[in-house]
Amino acid sequence: MRKAIYCLAAAGTLGLSAGLPATALADSSAGTGYQTSLSPVPTNHVTGSGSATVSLSGDQATVTVDTTGLLAGVPHAMHIHVDGMGTCPTAAAATDLNGHTAISTTDGHPAYGMIGTSLTTSGDTSPNSGLAVDRFPTGSSFHYQRTLTVTDDVAGNIRDGKAVIVVHGIDYDGSGKFTNVLGASDLDPKLPQTATAPALCGALHAMPAGGAATGSGATQHRPDNAGLIAGGSFLLIAAGAGTWVLRRRPPTGADRS
Ligand SMILES: [Cu+2]
């Protein structure tokens, strides 16, 4: 037993020494990575999903957003929200919108905060472009990537785990278009509420050591992934040797997950 413990300690040291220099190298060249999965905002009749990554280097943020299952054929405003609680709204945030229970963008502000950066496809990215519907991705499934300059406040929120990615535009009544079923938008009365209500939401968190499993950042970080995986393998082998007698399980598919 004592032998196994020494083994684990040695493997842990190996893993650290193999992983740390490579991680530092990746951080200085490609920025620090943050990621989130995007989930449907409750009560808003959304069945889509998505994911987002941010690689932050100083005030330069390379943002990717991938979605699926959103309302097709319409633009989806999307932003980095900041200065809230750094969370996504629960169903408790819903209010009465034209006789229906749903979450407007304003209803979600206590959770995810105000617009810090508008994730437009071109031009201005300030909160002033929050509803620049002609400069946002369109369609149910899209891949967005842009490197943009963020404010000190937004960069600080990202580093502190307080930044939230929100994609807007919902098909509340299942009509296949933005309708006035929820009345006018709380942000701009010229737009229907369905065009601006939040659809997908995810709070950004620092990527775990070794990088993300998805997104372009994973490709850039492959060398340091390899280092960490090699270190991890030592740990697995050592741990496996120590516990083999205690947990002799057949090699089923579940064991590999
Ligand atoms: Cu937003």
Side-chain angles (χ1 to χ4, degrees), residues 43-67:
T43 76
N44 282 6
H45 299 184
V46 177
T47 56
S49 62
S51 61
T53 65
V54 174
S55 179
L56 184 64
S57 182
D59 64 355
Q60 295 298 298
T62 298
V63 181
T64 71
V65 179
D66 289 274
T67 67

Side-chain angles (χ1 to χ4, degrees), residues 151-236:
T151 64
D152 289 347
D153 184 47
V154 170
N157 270 262
I158 293 172
R159 293 192 177 96
D160 292 344
K162 299 290 287 291
V164 181
I165 303 283
V166 182
V167 181
H168 302 259
I170 65 175
D171 185 14
Y172 190 86
D173 57 3
S175 63
K177 56 191 176 192
F178 289 150
T179 68
N180 284 315
V181 62
L182 300 179
S185 170
D186 49 313
L187 303 180
D188 179 351
K190 294 191 296 293
L191 295 171
Q193 177 66 255
T194 50
T196 64
L200 300 177
C201 179
L204 287 168
H205 297 291
M207 287 183 186
T214 58
S216 57
T219 307
Q220 291 163 3
H221 290 162
R222 187 157 292 161
D224 88 88
N225 276 351
L228 286 176
I229 289 166
S233 298
F234 278 110
L235 273 175
L236 279 176

Side-chain angles (χ1 to χ4, degrees), residues 79 81 115 166 168:
H79 319 103
H81 284 251
I115 296 173
V166 182
H168 302 259

